[in-house]
Amino acid sequence: MGLPLSKTTLFTEDQIHKRVSELARDIDADHRIDEPLHVVVALKGSFVFAADLIRAMRTPLTLDFIAIGSYADGTTAGEIQLQKDLDSSIEGRPVLIVEDIVDTGRTLRYLQDLLRARSPKSLRTVCLTTKPSRRAVEVTVEYVGFEVGDHFIVGYGLDHGERYRHLAHITTIEETREPRR
Ligand code: 5GP
Ligand code: MG
């Protein structure tokens, strides 16, 4: 069972490809070529974006994964917790967080605070999508792919109940109420 996908594509495969290349170029311009950038991919939604982004980058890099989850009961914002930690220390290393989407900002804020406390040399964030109208806490994002309105989006790694991550484009789910998690 799944909810009907909107017939209108929000971002096509070509549009995403072009924007990811631009983000890679911007990130390359800000980072040294003689020091590996440590890329921290926020699971699960960011894995498709990260796979394309790192292959478009020229900066030498190392990679790790982290998983942050929130348990929402529908009435409160939900408690954010660390589900899978990094495999290695980031102390003294230049770090780039790769996120799929910033909605209220709570998840990214938690992640940035967590990593900043570990004393990286630098900490920057790239987000494929952001919903500025939904922001509840302030977060700094150095590189933003696309701004979206107050829609629930899927595809290109983003899911709804673990479905639709494999779509090459990004689309919205057709329904009147936005699902919360
Ligand atoms: P936050 O509200 O903390 O910024 O976002 C929390 C998480 O909600 C995101 O990491 C993502 O997993 C999920 N989320 C928020 N908006 C959307 C959306 O439009 N589509 C999908 N697939 N997930 C979303
Ligand atoms: Mg996420």
Side-chain angles (χ1 to χ4, degrees), residues 8-147:
T8 48
T9 294
L10 205 53
F11 305 112
T12 65
E13 187 173 0
D14 282 352
Q15 284 174 316
I16 296 169
H17 179 78
K18 184 168 173 281
R19 191 70 191 112
V20 170
S21 304
E22 290 168 356
L23 290 171
R25 209 185 44 212
D26 292 347
I27 294 165
D28 282 343
D30 290 346
H31 293 91
R32 305 159 60 114
I33 56 156
D34 58 351
E35 182 180 39
L37 177 61
H38 196 56
V39 175
V40 170
V41 181
L43 294 173
K44 299 176 195 175
S46 308
F47 85 106
V48 175
F49 171 44
D52 284 344
L53 181 73
I54 61 170
R55 287 180 294 172
M57 285 167 56
R58 294 289 165 263
T59 306
L61 60 90
T62 51
L63 197 73
D64 205 347
F65 297 94
I66 196 163
I68 311 290
S70 68
Y71 176 79
D73 64 9
T75 55
T76 65
E79 198 179 321
I80 295 170
Q81 53 190 2
L82 181 62
Q83 293 174 339
K84 183 229 172 281
D85 204 347
L86 297 172
D87 289 339
S88 54
S89 166
I90 58 167
E91 191 179 339
R93 302 164 82 172
V95 172
L96 177 73
I97 296 172
V98 180
E99 257 291 15
D100 49 1
I101 188 160
V102 189
D103 186 29
T104 64
R106 289 195 177 92
T107 305
L108 181 59
R109 178 60 174 273
Y110 176 95
L111 180 54
Q112 288 178 339
D113 288 350
L114 182 79
L115 298 191
R116 201 173 289 114
R118 297 178 184 183
S119 308
K121 182 177 176 181
S122 62
L123 184 65
R124 293 192 176 102
T125 303
V126 57
C127 275
L128 180 66
T129 59
T130 181
K131 295 184 196 173
S133 68
R134 294 262 312 151
R135 204 71 87 244
V137 299
E138 248 186 76
V139 280
T140 303
V141 181
E142 282 77 10
Y143 314 98
V144 174
F146 299 103
E147 288 195 359

